[in-house]
Each structure stands twice: as structure tokens, then as C-alpha cells.
Amino acid sequence: MAAYTKLNGFVENLAEKVFNLGSDTLTVALSNTAPGSEGTPPTGATSTCKLANVTQISYTNLSSRVLTVTSSAQSSGTYSLVTSDLVLTASGAVGPFRYVYVYDDTATNDELIGYYDYGSSISLASGETFTIDFGTELFTLA
Amino acid sequence: MDFSPAALRAHFKALTAKREKIDVHLDPLRAELDALVAGDTKLTVKKAKEREAVIREEIKNLQAKLFPIENERAAVARALGGKTGEPE
């Protein structure tokens, strides 16, 4: 499973009522450009932490990128956002991509939450799938 | 149980069809929620907030139905080594 990297702007956006993670449309975006190499890196100031600053691949031939949120709740003061794994299915050539971002498609500016770096570029051919494993939870807040 | 690749592919396809049946209800709700959050509505602020609360509950309920389907799709996709369909 690829490592999850929180984007710093997410924390401020969370505190300033940008998200409702339990029922907003959380979606993945695929990119082959390193976050730090973007024209305006989304890793910088909070105002940069949005989808417009990510160079996305073409999604032609790719199935739905929307996540299914299972639980958005706290236990003993620790909040967890749990989603099911996402199966992306290709009906033609897709990619290459290396970075998988999670963003909030309901939020006004499609603000980003975090990303996964898969270490090397991935391409899909027709009939192939790429399964994103979000582990026990997407993230926790304590 | 038949765990042949052909049977698993058929099962994956059936699960995807189940997902699509739920998406038919979920997608319009998500579109309406987007519009409400963007302020693109003729409703009063109070009515928009009331409607938003109703939509969010409906989305949560539908996502609860999707969860086991999505997890099973992921398991089947892994079992097939990512080859869930025949190349076109």
C-alpha cells in the first residue's frame, strides 16, 4: 500500500468549514507530475491546496473515481474517515500516472485532502483494474 | 464455489451492475448537493439548509449500501490480479 501524505492546506480548510467529509463527494485525481514540481505546488499555502493546481491525466476510458465513505466518526476523541477500497477499471489505455490525490468534489474549489505516491508510473490497458487500498482508514485526527 | 477466472470476472461484472443501480440514485443527489453548496438554488437559505440535511442523510444511507459491494469488487479485482475484463 502506498504511503499517504497529508497536504498542509487541508488542515486549515478543515478548521474553516470547507468540508463535510461524511457526505461530500470525495474523489480521486490521477497525476504523473510530482506535487512539488507542479507550476503552483499544492503543497504550499492553503490557497494552493486545490485541484486546479494538479496536472491530471485524461480520464477517458476510466470508471468512476468517486470514493464510498463508510464512516466519518470519532471514538474516544479520535476521528477516523473510513472509505472502501476503490477499483478503477480501464476500458482502453489509461495513464501513465504515479500520484493519486483525494479531493472534495463538493467543496467550492475542489480542495485537496492528501495524496499517495506509488513510487513509479502506472499504466492500464483495456480490461485491467487498479485497486486503491485505503487501509483501515483514510486518515485519523486526534 | 467456482473460483475460475471466468466465474470471478462474471461475479465482478454482476457486482458492478449492483453498484450502478445504486449510483442511479446517488449521482443526482450528489449533483443537487453540489448545487446547494455552491448556492446555485432558488430556495431560501433556510430551505436550502433543510434540503441539504435531507440529501446528506440519503447519501450516507446509499453509501452504506455501496460499501460491501465496493469491498467485494476490490477483493475480486485482487483475486484476478487486476485483469477483471477481457481486452476489447
Side-chain angles (χ1 to χ4, degrees):
Chain A
M1 196 174 85
Y4 173 76
T5 300
K6 173 193 72 180
L7 286 162
N8 291 340
F10 167 67
V11 182
E12 183 177 343
N13 284 330
L14 189 66
E16 295 174 359
K17 213 175 161 182
V18 171
F19 307 110
N20 183 337
L21 297 171
S23 50
D24 279 0
T25 305
L26 303 186
T27 307
V28 298
L30 309 179
S31 175
N32 206 33
T33 304
S37 299
E38 294 284 4
T40 303
T43 49
T46 300
S47 61
T48 67
C49 194
K50 55 188 179 185
L51 187 63
N53 290 326
V54 173
T55 305
Q56 299 178 73
I57 66 165
S58 167
Y59 299 122
T60 304
N61 301 326
L62 195 62
S63 61
S64 170
R65 293 173 287 116
V66 178
L67 301 184
T68 300
V69 175
T70 313
S71 173
S72 169
Q74 63 86 21
S75 176
S76 302
T78 299
Y79 169 85
S80 297
L81 181 66
V82 182
T83 68
S84 60
D85 292 346
L86 179 66
V87 181
L88 298 175
T89 305
S91 55
V94 174
F97 62 90
R98 171 172 167 173
Y99 305 93
V100 176
Y101 288 84
V102 179
Y103 70 97
D104 189 328
D105 195 33
T106 305
T108 310
N109 298 306
D110 292 348
E111 277 81 359
L112 302 169
I113 293 171
Y115 70 91
Y116 294 86
D117 178 357
Y118 279 81
S120 60
S121 293
I122 298 159
S123 294
L124 301 176
S126 182
E128 291 184 342
T129 60
F130 178 67
T131 302
I132 304 171
D133 181 355
F134 294 105
T136 312
E137 65 273 312
L138 185 59
F139 63 80
T140 58
L141 296 169
Chain B
M1 291 284 290
D2 182 358
F3 291 107
S4 68
L8 288 174
R9 281 191 190 100
H11 188 50
F12 184 83
K13 199 172 173 182
L15 289 168
T16 302
K18 275 187 185 177
R19 183 202 161 118
E20 286 168 351
K21 278 186 182 173
I22 295 173
D23 281 343
V24 165
H25 301 287
L26 200 45
D27 291 346
L29 289 170
R30 284 175 165 153
E32 189 179 352
L33 178 62
D34 281 359
L36 287 173
V37 169
D40 186 13
T41 175
K42 289 178 181 172
L43 296 175
T44 62
V45 172
K46 185 181 176 190
K47 289 286 182 192
K49 285 190 174 175
E50 287 171 0
R51 178 63 186 151
E52 183 181 333
V54 170
I55 292 172
R56 287 190 182 280
E57 274 312 301
E58 288 179 22
I59 287 173
K60 284 180 187 174
N61 291 337
L62 288 169
Q63 287 194 129
K65 290 180 184 173
L66 263 186
F67 177 66
I69 296 170
E70 285 298 276
N71 272 355
E72 195 171 349
R73 285 177 81 235
V76 174
R78 287 192 185 97
L80 285 165
K83 308 278 187 189
T84 54
E86 299 297 337
E88 292 170 358

